[in-house]
Amino acid sequence: MASAWQMALSALQRNLDNGDKRTDPWLLVYSPVPVALIFLVYLCVVWVGPRLMKHREPVDLKAVLIVYNFAMVVLSAYMFHEFLVTSWLSNYSLLCQPVDYSTSPLAMRMARACWWFFFSKVIELTDTFFFILRKKNSQLTFLHVYHHGTMIFNWWAGVKYVAGGQSFFIGVVNTFVHIIMYSYYGLAAIGPHMQKYLWWKRYLTSLQLVQFMLFLLHTGYNLFAECNFPYSMNAFVFGYCVTLIILFSNFYYQSYLSKKKQK
């Protein structure tokens, strides 16, 4: 038993040491332990939070939400710019792009963009805390918790092993979607009088579904193309996108199509 445990630890250590040496020193990157602890705290808050708030009044977070959401718009716009410009200057291929593990200025710029994208997923866990404090428990769906909780692991692995290459495609598309999404949330936080300008809420879900379909097609192509990018990473992203398409499609149906039929 002890020998098997030592072998497992040795295999884990080799796996950690085989990461991207450029990103290993960066915050939260070298080991999955800090991210795992963040995830466990997140799950505890999701479970305990609504119970603690059950007999309390919702917290008024209007000013906080306005600042937070528009700050996320700025961060998303920055990351979108970095992914787009760096990939353009580096002559990235849209269909198949290996990771440049060098320390050239452009390669490091892309790696930093990937790290910021990963860290933004940690920041976005705050969305859930705001729901809990405002007693918006109907928003704490399996889709919400699953999507937020798993993204930090997905992009930890991205920064740890493939900080660049065709990962940029996910970064470009997702940050563009988040510019629109957090703009909506920021405007909605201003007050009820903004609702008449926010008729396009349902199209946010459609846009999210379109991005997942793009990711599915992109990674699906690379599963069969001869591309010097880890096959395991493409296979994982492909499977993950399938789960998100199923969950978001169900959400869209329940939120819009099903209610329309009932009316």
Side-chain angles (χ1 to χ4, degrees):
M1 181 64 72
S3 178
W5 176 249
Q6 290 174 350
M7 289 176 63
L9 288 178
S10 179
L12 174 62
Q13 190 61 51
R14 286 196 303 271
N15 196 40
L16 292 178
D17 291 340
N18 286 333
D20 190 335
K21 296 298 185 291
R22 302 171 306 165
T23 62
D24 270 347
W26 297 354
L27 181 65
L28 302 177
V29 175
Y30 176 73
S31 169
V33 172
V35 173
L37 291 175
I38 291 171
F39 176 70
L40 290 175
V41 171
Y42 175 72
L43 290 183
C44 288
V45 171
V46 169
W47 187 76
V48 175
R51 289 164 174 78
L52 292 177
M53 291 297 297
K54 186 175 182 179
H55 301 295
R56 291 177 170 84
E57 291 296 317
V59 180
D60 183 5
L61 297 174
K62 180 178 179 179
V64 174
L65 288 173
I66 293 173
V67 173
Y68 168 77
N69 285 305
F70 285 115
M72 292 304 294
V73 171
V74 173
L75 178 58
S76 297
Y78 166 75
M79 293 185 293
F80 175 76
H81 172 270
E82 288 300 288
F83 279 122
L84 190 64
V85 171
T86 308
S87 61
W88 180 271
L89 293 175
S90 303
N91 296 314
Y92 268 27
S93 167
L94 186 62
L95 294 177
C96 170
Q97 180 60 48
V99 181
D100 180 358
Y101 290 103
S102 74
T103 55
S104 69
L106 285 176
M108 293 302 298
R109 184 176 178 180
M110 180 58 78
R112 282 191 293 270
C114 289
W115 181 87
W116 272 109
F117 190 71
F118 153 67
F119 193 66
S120 73
K121 300 308 172 189
V122 178
I123 297 173
E124 286 170 16
L125 297 179
T126 311
D127 296 354
T128 309
F129 303 154
F130 291 153
F131 285 149
I132 294 171
L133 291 174
R134 296 165 65 215
K135 299 188 75 170
K136 300 287 186 180
N137 295 337
S138 61
Q139 305 282 356
L140 299 178
T141 61
F142 174 79
L143 168 60
H144 176 85
V145 176
Y146 171 76
H147 184 44
H148 278 67
T150 54
M151 282 299 289
I152 60 173
F153 285 105
N154 297 349
W155 271 89
W156 171 82
V159 176
K160 172 71 176 176
Y161 298 105
V162 287
Q166 64 188 51
S167 301
F168 91 97
F169 181 77
I170 294 176
V172 167
V173 176
N174 189 248
T175 51
F176 174 76
V177 171
H178 278 213
I179 290 171
I180 299 172
M181 185 183 76
Y182 280 108
S183 294
Y184 170 85
Y185 291 149
L187 292 171
I190 293 174
H193 62 281
M194 294 298 296
Q195 290 302 315
K196 60 184 177 182
Y197 303 112
L198 301 175
W199 51 266
W200 41 279
K201 177 182 178 181
R202 66 179 295 176
Y203 298 108
L204 280 176
T205 306
S206 300
L207 187 61
Q208 289 174 311
L209 279 168
V210 168
Q211 74 164 333
F212 297 137
M213 288 300 300
L214 288 174
F215 298 157
L216 196 71
L217 292 172
H218 189 254
T219 54
Y221 168 82
N222 280 283
L223 284 174
F224 301 100
E226 292 186 6
C227 184
N228 188 21
F229 190 88
Y231 180 88
S232 58
M233 189 64 71
N234 274 322
F236 176 80
V237 173
F238 186 90
Y240 183 63
C241 285
V242 170
T243 66
L244 291 180
I245 289 171
I246 293 171
L247 291 171
F248 272 87
S249 296
N250 179 66
F251 171 78
Y252 186 89
Y253 176 80
Q254 297 295 335
S255 300
Y256 305 110
L257 301 182
S258 180
K259 289 182 179 179
K260 187 176 180 181
K261 286 182 180 179
Q262 290 175 2
K263 289 181 181 180

